[in-house]
Amino acid sequence: MSENNVAKPKGLSATSYLFVPAINIERVEKAFARGADTVIIDLEDAVSDSVKMQSRDNVVNYLSGADAKPVWVRINAASSNHQAGDIDLLKSLPLPAINNVIGVVLPKVEHAIEIDRVRHALAKPMIALIETPKGMANIPDIAAAAGLTALSFGFLDICEKLGVRADSEAGQMVANQIRYQLSLHSAINALTPPIECVYPPFNDDDGLTQRVNGWRDLGFSGMLCIHPNQVAIVNALARPSQAQLAFAKKVVDHYAQTGLAAFAMDGQMVDTPVILQAQKLIQKYQP
């Protein structure tokens, strides 16, 4: 199916996506209390095989609770013998509980058909994580899959499989190549702009600040977080400054008043791409 014939789900508005292991379900409320835009309840990497069943029970109990807030759920990968059980669990939820599932995070995606299978089973928005060399090679096809909402990636997983040292210049070359591919194919397929991978050192504010500034300037829409300490920095830095918003509003207002597609504003030439970018900023941050 061509990209022009695929109806894409509504875009995502979250900036910070905080993982909470399903075995520690009591942390979901704490995650929201720390300011996370949204929470991903994790049934995959953060949950060992010995506690998979208890973790699934925890998910059901949380989603069925009167005080439940809508969350994402990361299920196990297609290559895992646990994915079918995760899907069956979500399919079996009563309507009030399944309505508390915003969407599904799919790990280690390597083929578009993996997205298609989950789409048919659950009919929920999906975030695909690219975490293997094969997944990297198939980004164009994966990004075009029907039902996909956004792409992200697992940098450490990819480095391990490629034999690349993550904390090296070579590692950064690999990371930026992935980011470019995700950004390009997200735009081509009208997806929500990509979501940055996790930053493991959760007490390194300076490093996190540098990371957020990097993906924000690249046009990414948000970041996966592994610790509540990271949320405030991600939320604050991902938002445009007041000066940027004020300039965008002046551009939008001037364009609305005059209809001109090219004009000078505050010593800067403004044309159609700048106007469109200003409109997007105002729509997202000053609706």
Side-chain angles (χ1 to χ4, degrees):
M1 181 178 292
S2 72
E3 65 194 54
N4 293 329
N5 295 326
V6 174
K8 293 298 180 182
K10 184 179 179 181
L12 307 179
S13 60
T15 295
S16 53
Y17 298 74
L18 181 56
F19 281 107
V20 171
I23 194 62
N24 302 118
I25 203 71
E26 71 281 356
R27 297 182 186 174
V28 173
E29 288 301 324
K30 297 177 182 178
F32 280 116
R34 292 291 295 271
D37 288 335
T38 195
V39 167
I40 302 172
I41 297 179
D42 192 6
L43 283 167
E44 196 222 8
D45 279 355
V47 177
S48 64
D49 287 356
S50 63
V51 293
K52 290 288 187 187
M53 295 306 297
Q54 179 60 58
S55 296
R56 288 175 180 161
D57 289 343
N58 289 350
V59 171
V60 173
N61 291 337
Y62 176 78
L63 294 173
S64 302
D67 297 327
K69 295 180 180 178
V71 295
W72 289 79
V73 177
R74 177 162 74 169
I75 64 175
N76 282 271
S79 58
S80 166
N81 57 10
H82 294 293
Q83 189 186 81
D86 292 343
I87 292 174
D88 288 344
L89 169 79
L90 295 177
K91 286 176 64 176
S92 69
L93 290 172
L95 186 59
I98 194 62
N99 284 343
N100 285 323
V101 178
I102 300 171
V104 177
V105 178
L106 299 180
K108 302 176 178 62
V109 175
E110 294 186 330
H111 302 282
I113 194 171
E114 298 169 35
I115 297 168
D116 197 50
R117 288 169 180 161
V118 178
R119 177 176 68 91
H120 284 296
L122 298 174
K124 287 286 183 178
M126 281 175 281
I127 297 172
L129 302 183
I130 306 300
E131 302 180 86
T132 68
K134 188 172 291 185
M136 288 175 60
N138 290 332
I139 286 174
D141 290 337
I142 293 169
L148 184 65
T149 306
L151 292 162
S152 186
F153 67 110
F155 176 55
L156 296 180
D157 297 87
I158 289 172
C159 283
E160 184 274 324
K161 291 175 176 61
L162 290 176
V164 174
R165 203 182 83 198
D167 61 343
S168 67
E169 183 177 350
Q172 287 309 302
M173 290 173 60
V174 171
N176 287 332
Q177 168 68 12
I178 299 168
R179 291 183 181 110
Y180 168 74
Q181 291 293 324
L182 296 185
S183 181
L184 174 65
H185 291 286
S186 293
I188 290 172
N189 292 282
L191 303 177
T192 294
I195 302 165
E196 174 66 10
C197 65
V198 300
Y199 184 71
F202 56 80
N203 284 320
D204 179 11
D205 290 356
D206 290 341
L208 179 60
T209 295
Q210 184 176 1
R211 172 72 69 83
V212 175
N213 286 337
W215 62 253
R216 179 197 63 202
D217 293 345
L218 192 57
F220 276 40
S221 63
M223 182 172 185
L224 304 176
C225 301
I226 58 169
H227 196 279
N229 288 352
Q230 299 176 321
V231 169
I233 290 176
V234 170
N235 287 346
L237 293 179
R239 182 182 176 87
S241 68
Q242 289 302 314
Q244 289 173 314
L245 288 174
F247 178 78
K249 189 174 188 311
K250 288 176 67 175
V251 168
V252 170
D253 289 348
H254 188 79
Y255 175 69
Q257 292 166 7
T258 67
L260 295 174
F263 52 86
M265 178 69 67
D266 295 348
Q268 176 178 331
M269 285 305 302
V270 173
D271 56 9
T272 299
V274 177
I275 295 169
L276 292 174
Q277 186 175 47
Q279 290 172 333
K280 289 178 181 178
L281 283 178
I282 297 301
Q283 181 179 15
K284 182 173 182 178
Y285 295 102
Q286 292 186 346

